[in-house]
Amino acid sequence: MTARIGVVTFPGSLDDRDAQRAVRLAGAEPVALWHRDKDLHQVDAVVLPGGFSYGDYLRCGAISRFSPVMETIIEQARGGLPVLGICNGFQVLTESHLLPGAMLRNESLHFVCRDQRLRVENVDTAWTVDYTPGQEISVPLKNGEGRFTADPRTIDELEAEGRVAFRYLDVNPNGSINDIAGITNAAGNVVGLMPHPEHAVEPLIGTGGTDGLAFFTSILKRLVNA
Amino acid sequence: MARVVVDVMLKPEILDPQGQAVQRALPRLGFAGIADVRQGKRFELELEGPVDDAALARIREAAETFLANTVIEDFTVRVEPSSAGGAA
């Protein structure tokens, strides 16, 4: 029996199908979850995909955070359910306070879309065990509000505890503090990042590489060995 | 009907590139002497009932948990005096 990985669709989600495809390519079973459904249908992990949920009204992720499905996800994530937030999903996780900090308009004020190099700095999370420490990967990045920020004490804490999971290399595309591209919670089950690993899982699309696939094989390995 | 206004602004220490872009555009348009611009949001809440302490407490709760993200934003809540003369 393989792992069941839920992918939430909010109104305005764009990358839910790509995330489902990545889950399938990694060998797990994708399960579509609907924002109005509190029931997680016995999934073993959840992906919050990219897009513009609820039109990014108010703030990115601010309205999604109060959706029925998120009530259940927030409760279960606190109990250890693995959750990966990609781009808009990362914004939902910070708005939910499952991850610290917040996302702001890019420093340049431009929407940025590029192949982005990253360094994987924490390979102990549920979503990164299949990477090697310090591994450099290339995945697509596309955001207008990706400038990660937090108060200095939170940043110090994230750095000291090794909770900066991914850092931008070459270019800081949005002005994020300390080149932070993604972070993990202290337990390592909740991970969020702005770049899109689900767009880099097969040679024909995205960067042409498969650098993102290890997110999805990592969670599968974690769940099967659990 | 009573109106309560919630103003939400980025905290002073948070960089506001939108405000900066507006500030840079002003001199080009002939508006001199403006040293800084910060851009924020204004919410106008029309209450069904009276503006009493309980109503204001609920609005502050809504502002704290929803209208503002207090990680990056500050907010103020104030009651707008009812304008009997309508929109001026």
Side-chain angles (χ1 to χ4, degrees):
Chain A
M1 201 185 83
T2 187
R4 288 161 52 83
I5 300 180
V7 177
V8 176
T9 300
F10 299 103
S13 293
L14 296 178
D15 302 321
D16 42 342
R17 295 300 178 94
D18 277 30
Q20 289 177 18
R21 186 176 173 82
V23 164
R24 194 178 302 115
L25 284 169
E29 181 193 345
V31 178
L33 300 177
W34 183 236
H35 68 112
R36 282 213 299 239
D37 190 356
K38 285 180 85 146
D39 186 353
L40 299 188
H41 302 277
Q42 289 91 45
V43 295
D44 305 300
V46 169
V47 177
L48 303 176
F52 299 85
S53 58
Y54 293 90
D56 275 354
Y57 296 159
L58 187 59
R59 293 177 306 278
C60 306
I63 296 176
S64 323
R65 174 250 178 279
F66 290 101
S67 63
V69 76
M70 281 308 300
E71 279 179 45
T72 313
I73 290 172
I74 290 167
E75 187 190 316
Q76 295 198 12
R78 291 195 180 119
L81 177 76
V83 180
L84 173 66
I86 301 167
C87 195
N88 190 222
F90 186 16
Q91 293 162 337
V92 174
L93 289 176
T94 59
E95 283 285 343
S96 307
H97 306 298
L98 286 173
L99 291 174
M103 238 64 68
L104 290 157
R105 188 69 64 96
N106 291 350
E107 198 169 14
S108 66
L109 292 179
H110 292 285
F111 189 95
V112 175
C113 183
R114 65 194 306 273
D115 290 349
Q116 177 70 46
R117 285 211 317 135
L118 306 173
R119 189 168 54 236
V120 184
E121 301 207 339
N122 184 329
V123 296
D124 297 322
T125 80
W127 300 92
T128 56
V129 290
D130 264 355
Y131 289 106
T132 54
Q135 187 174 343
E136 296 183 3
I137 63 173
S138 180
V139 299
L141 171 125
K142 44 177 183 134
N143 66 65
E145 307 205 16
R147 175 164 52 111
F148 179 77
T149 192
D151 63 83
R153 223 180 65 193
T154 303
I155 295 290
D156 289 348
E157 197 178 294
L158 287 171
E159 294 284 2
E161 295 174 4
R163 288 170 54 195
V164 175
F166 313 94
R167 224 180 283 270
Y168 296 118
L169 292 175
D170 307 329
V171 175
N172 181 335
N174 42 36
S176 294
I177 293 178
N178 292 7
D179 300 332
I180 292 172
I183 58 175
T184 174
N185 68 346
N189 63 308
V190 180
V191 170
L193 79 166
M194 286 313 291
H196 288 263
E198 83 283 18
H199 295 328
V201 294
E202 52 197 331
L204 271 179
I205 58 161
T207 55
T210 57
D211 288 1
L213 193 60
F215 276 81
F216 305 95
T217 56
S218 292
I219 187 63
L220 187 56
K221 184 182 283 181
R222 173 62 64 96
L223 292 169
V224 169
N225 292 342
Chain B
M1 208 185 291
R3 172 179 289 180
V4 177
V5 175
V6 180
D7 283 311
V8 176
M9 294 296 295
L10 283 176
K11 288 176 187 278
E13 67 271 23
I14 302 280
L15 177 73
D16 175 17
Q18 290 186 99
Q20 286 180 342
V22 173
Q23 194 260 332
R24 280 196 300 272
L26 286 168
R28 276 194 284 121
L29 302 173
F31 301 103
I34 295 165
D36 192 24
V37 176
R38 307 277 295 170
Q39 182 177 318
K41 291 181 196 141
R42 170 186 164 110
F43 298 88
E44 298 180 346
L45 313 181
E46 308 290 343
L47 301 201
E48 286 170 352
V51 189
D52 51 21
D53 286 351
L56 280 175
R58 287 295 284 165
I59 289 170
R60 280 200 193 88
E61 197 185 331
E64 173 102 38
T65 55
F66 186 48
L67 299 180
N69 178 346
T70 55
V71 174
I72 46 172
E73 294 168 327
D74 293 324
F75 67 88
T76 58
V77 175
R78 65 193 154 83
V79 181
E80 188 147 285
S82 53
S83 49

